[in-house]
Amino acid sequence: MRISEVQNFALNSLNKCCKPRKSNENISSNNSLERSPMMDTVSFGRFGGRYAELTKDYAWMHLLKNITAYDILNKTIYLSVEPTKETVLDPTNNVYEAKLVDYREFRPDDKEIYIKQMNQLMERRVEDFNNMYGYESGWEKHLTTTEDFEKAARLANYLDNHGLFSDSGDDDEEGYRMFGIRHF
């Protein structure tokens, strides 16, 4: 392609997407740049948000010998592992935290009182987990070692098995049991 053809293509594309639209032009078949509902899907849990690559690399480094724990953290629905604010400002701090995913992310149209109740329910599940294993409350806000990330994987597995929604039919639990992860 010639440079002039590329420039014309770019200019035409910009004109199409940036010109003021009439209401009859706002039909999705006429407007290929319009957002589709599929573009609004949200990824829950996993290695959180904006710093996902940094978190994945750090978790991978710690869980290299425990790939199953890494997979659990990567597939979890209710827990997000993210760097702390201090780590965002200075990545050499290497302190991460496991946070519950706000119920609003799952059901944004629900009433505020219901969202609050569901969040409290999941917080109680975290407390139950801590009581069951004898962990101090708040340990999940300071993940630095391999053991910390393995505990977070145990918590993620517990929450996924005792969460708000029934599982999607995947038999991941059976796979975890095969690798001796049932005690998570």
Side-chain angles (χ1 to χ4, degrees):
M1 237 183 194
R2 293 183 180 174
I3 292 176
S4 61
E5 291 173 351
V6 172
Q7 288 173 334
N8 286 338
F9 174 77
L11 184 61
N12 287 338
S13 296
L14 281 173
N15 285 339
K16 286 180 183 176
C17 78
C18 297
K19 72 177 183 179
R21 299 179 192 271
K22 297 177 187 172
S23 61
N24 66 347
E25 287 181 348
N26 221 3
I27 300 169
S28 61
S29 62
N30 293 341
N31 182 4
S32 62
L33 297 175
E34 188 173 313
R35 291 184 62 82
S36 73
M38 292 301 291
M39 296 169 95
D40 291 329
T41 58
V42 179
S43 175
F44 304 116
R46 302 185 176 157
F47 298 109
R50 209 168 140 182
Y51 303 100
E53 289 304 314
L54 175 70
T55 308
K56 279 183 180 182
D57 292 344
Y58 193 74
W60 176 255
M61 184 175 67
H62 280 285
L63 297 173
L64 185 59
K65 293 182 181 177
N66 192 346
I67 299 302
T68 307
Y70 180 85
D71 286 342
I72 290 170
L73 284 176
N74 194 31
K75 292 179 181 179
T76 185
I77 299 171
Y78 303 104
L79 205 62
S80 179
V81 177
E82 302 174 4
T84 60
K85 291 178 184 176
E86 294 80 21
T87 302
V88 169
L89 296 174
D90 181 10
T92 60
N93 283 340
N94 292 327
V95 179
Y96 292 79
E97 63 182 323
K99 297 163 76 172
L100 284 172
V101 175
D102 189 356
Y103 185 73
R104 184 176 286 107
E105 295 293 322
F106 299 106
R107 304 281 167 92
D109 296 333
D110 280 359
K111 293 181 180 178
E112 193 64 35
I113 187 81
Y114 188 65
I115 290 170
K116 185 177 178 182
Q117 289 173 346
M118 292 296 108
N119 286 337
Q120 288 173 345
L121 174 66
M122 290 308 287
E123 288 170 10
R124 280 195 301 273
R125 298 262 166 87
V126 172
E127 290 172 15
D128 292 344
F129 174 83
N130 287 338
N131 291 335
M132 187 169 47
Y133 288 101
Y135 298 145
E136 277 189 42
S137 180
W139 65 267
E140 62 276 359
K141 304 237 183 277
H142 191 81
L143 307 176
T144 56
T145 65
T146 300
E147 293 78 26
D148 293 337
F149 279 92
E150 288 175 343
K151 277 199 274 189
R154 283 187 204 108
L155 175 59
N157 194 42
Y158 179 82
L159 293 175
D160 285 350
N161 291 328
H162 299 89
L164 303 169
F165 308 109
S166 63
D167 71 359
S168 61
D170 296 339
D171 202 15
D172 285 341
E173 177 61 26
E174 186 64 35
Y176 296 143
R177 225 178 283 131
M178 283 177 23
F179 292 104
I181 307 296
R182 182 64 183 144
H183 66 276
F184 270 27

